[in-house]
Amino acid sequence: MGDEKVIEARFHESIDDIAVTAWDALRPDDNPFLSHAFLAGLERTGCIRPEWGWQAHHLGLYRKGVLIAAAPLYLKGNSHGEFVFDWSWASAWEQAGGEYYPKLLNAVPYSPVTGPRLLVGNDPALRELLVEAMQQQAQRLQLSSVHANFLVEEDLAAFGADWMARNDVQFHWHNHGYADFDAFLAALNHKKRKNIRHERKHVAQRGLRIAMAGGAELGMREWRRVHALYASTFDAKGNHAALTEAFFQYLRKEFGNIVQLALAWHDEEIVAMALMLRSATTLYGRYWGASVDVPDLHFELCYYQGIEYAIAQGLQRFEPGAQGEHKLARGFLPVRTHSRHYLVHEGFRSAVRRALAHECQSMDAYAEELLDHSPYATRP
C-alpha cells in the first residue's frame, strides 16, 4: 500500500521522452504554447540547442510509473529568449566570484505568453511538489537559481517564501462583446478613434492586399517566405532569429489553422506578415516581418487585423506580445505579468529581494499611470 503513494521526480533531456497523451492530459486548457507538440517542435527543429543557451530538462512526477504532474524546464546557459530580464543579477553574482549560469528555467522558450507552468491535471496539491523538485534539483546540480516566468494566478501560491516575486506589464485587448470593429472603435475616445481610422486609411491607400489566413491555407513556399520576413526583422536589428525555417514548416504541418497570419500581398508576393497562434479563448500575437517600409502597416497587421479576427471568432482576449506602450492608444490595456525566482545562495537572495521591493513600487506606480491614459471613453 505504501508504494502506491511514493512519488518519483524524473528529469528528461527531451520532451519526446514523455508520451504526448500523458503530457497533454495534464494541461488545464488548450493554450498552444504548453502543448507537447509545440515544445517538441522547438526541440526537433533546432531551436533548442546548448550553443544557444537552451538544454531541455523537463520535470515529471511519477506514481508507479505513471506521469501525474509535469513542468517545462530548461537548463539555461544565458538569459536570452526569456523576456524577464535578470542580466544585472548575473553580473552581480559573477562579480562576486560566483557562476550564475547554468540556471533552471520553468517557462516556454522565446514566448512571453502567460500560461500554466505547473501541469497537474486535477490534483492542485502536486504544484508544490513540482516546485520542491525544482529547488532540490538546483541544489543537487549546484546551480545558482531557478526561475518561473509568465505564471498564471493558479500557480503563484505553490512558490514558497524563498521565491521572490517580480511583476511586469503587458498590453492586452479584451473583447466586450463587440459586434464588429466599428463597435470597438465606438468604445474609444474621439481622438483615439480618429487616429486608428487614419492609420488604417494610410495602409488601404498603398494598394496592398491585406488578409488573414490560417496556417493550413498556405503552402510550403509561402511559409518559407513568412520565415524569411521573420528572420529579416532580427537581422535588421543585429539580433539572432532563434526560430528555424524547419520550425515554421512544422507549425504549418502540425498546427494548421491554430496558426493565423495577417498578410500583406503586393501582386503575388507576401511583403509583410504577422504570425499569431490561437486557443479557444485567446489570440496570441508573436512575430512580425516586412520587406517594405509602409507607414502604419505594422499596426494594421499586428493589431487591427488581430482585433477584427478576435471579434469575428468570439475570442475573449488578444495578447499581442511583450512591451510596447504604443499599444495603449490602440485599445490594449495594461495587465500585470508574474514571475517567481529562487536564488540558492541566501545572502544573494536577500540582497536581490531588497532591490525587488523598490522595483515593485515603481512598477505599481507605472501601471497606475498607464490606466490613467486609457483610450476608452469609459473604462470597460
Side-chain angles (χ1 to χ4, degrees):
M1 292 293 291
D3 290 344
E4 296 180 2
K5 297 183 178 181
V6 173
I7 295 176
E8 176 190 5
R10 302 180 195 168
F11 294 87
H12 300 274
E13 294 185 359
S14 170
I15 198 168
D16 280 328
D17 293 341
I18 302 172
V20 174
T21 53
W23 178 279
D24 284 342
L26 299 174
R27 296 162 57 206
D29 56 36
D30 66 338
N31 182 315
F33 300 93
L34 269 296
S35 68
H36 189 284
F38 187 87
L39 298 173
L42 290 172
E43 294 179 25
R44 295 173 191 169
T45 60
C47 304
I48 302 298
R49 57 179 81 175
E51 58 266 35
W52 290 355
W54 293 89
Q55 173 60 57
H57 200 67
H58 303 299
L59 170 58
L61 298 184
Y62 295 82
R63 182 184 290 123
K64 298 185 69 176
V66 176
L67 185 73
I68 59 172
L73 198 63
Y74 299 87
L75 285 165
K76 286 297 272 74
N78 55 42
S79 293
H80 291 293
E82 300 178 24
F83 299 91
V84 177
F85 305 111
D86 61 345
W87 302 106
S88 61
W89 302 0
S91 177
W93 189 233
E94 288 165 3
Q95 287 178 14
E99 293 184 8
Y100 193 74
Y101 305 107
K103 62 181 185 178
L104 275 178
L105 175 67
N106 175 213
V108 176
Y110 313 117
S111 302
V113 173
T114 293
R117 298 294 180 260
L118 307 175
L119 309 182
V120 295
N122 296 319
D123 191 349
L126 294 173
R127 289 191 177 100
E128 292 185 7
L129 294 184
L130 285 169
V131 172
E132 181 182 347
M134 287 189 274
Q135 288 181 234
Q136 290 176 350
Q137 185 70 344
Q139 298 276 4
R140 187 178 302 113
L141 299 180
Q142 298 183 324
L143 306 179
S144 68
S145 52
V146 192
H147 308 261
N149 293 347
F150 298 101
L151 297 163
V152 292
E153 296 281 348
E154 293 81 356
D155 285 343
L156 295 178
F159 296 88
D162 286 340
W163 289 73
M164 299 175 297
R166 290 187 83 181
N167 300 294
D168 205 343
V169 170
Q170 287 186 353
F171 297 86
H172 298 173
W173 178 86
H174 291 82
N175 189 353
H176 296 281
Y178 302 118
D180 52 28
F181 194 86
D182 283 339
F184 154 65
L185 287 181
L188 302 177
N189 64 50
H190 174 73
K191 181 179 179 181
K192 298 300 188 293
R193 181 166 60 246
K194 181 179 178 181
N195 182 64
I196 290 173
R197 284 178 171 153
H198 185 67
E199 289 175 346
R200 302 200 81 183
K201 183 178 179 181
H202 264 182
V203 175
Q205 292 173 339
R206 296 302 294 260
L208 300 174
R209 178 163 59 91
I210 308 293
M212 290 288 290
E217 299 171 31
L218 303 182
M220 182 181 296
R221 182 186 66 82
E222 293 159 318
W223 268 97
R224 187 176 298 120
R225 175 63 175 166
V226 166
H227 181 265
L229 291 171
Y230 153 78
S232 68
T233 300
F234 285 83
D235 293 341
K237 297 180 180 180
N239 294 328
H240 170 66
L243 301 183
T244 62
E245 183 188 332
F247 179 70
F248 273 48
Q249 297 291 351
Y250 177 90
L251 289 178
R252 174 180 67 88
K253 291 184 289 185
E254 299 296 330
F255 281 76
N257 291 339
I258 292 174
V259 180
Q260 292 291 317
L261 300 106
L263 301 173
W265 299 76
H266 178 68
D267 295 331
E268 297 303 312
E269 182 179 30
I270 299 172
V271 296
M273 71 87 195
L275 187 151
M276 312 170 197
L277 281 80
R278 62 160 294 173
S279 70
T281 62
T282 307
L283 183 66
Y284 303 94
R286 297 306 305 120
Y287 312 111
W288 146 265
S291 61
V292 294
D293 185 12
V294 174
D296 304 321
L297 182 59
H298 176 268
F299 302 141
E300 177 65 33
L301 296 189
C302 293
Y303 307 145
Y304 304 143
Q305 287 292 314
I307 289 173
E308 283 194 333
Y309 177 84
I311 292 172
Q313 294 290 313
L315 302 182
Q316 298 172 12
R317 292 189 313 281
F318 177 21
E319 303 182 12
Q323 304 164 344
E325 290 183 9
H326 59 276
K327 297 169 185 170
L328 184 63
R330 293 164 179 88
F332 297 83
L333 292 178
V335 299
R336 304 303 290 269
T337 60
H338 305 278
S339 61
R340 294 293 184 267
H341 308 268
Y342 172 72
L343 302 178
V344 174
H345 189 279
E346 187 174 349
F348 185 36
R349 191 190 319 151
S350 297
V352 171
R353 192 186 298 275
R354 289 192 294 271
L356 285 180
H358 295 290
E359 180 184 89
C360 183
Q361 291 177 353
S362 299
M363 191 58 62
D364 288 342
Y366 173 62
E368 286 299 317
E369 181 182 358
L370 288 171
L371 284 174
D372 289 339
H373 295 86
S374 169
Y376 291 89
T378 58
R379 186 171 295 186

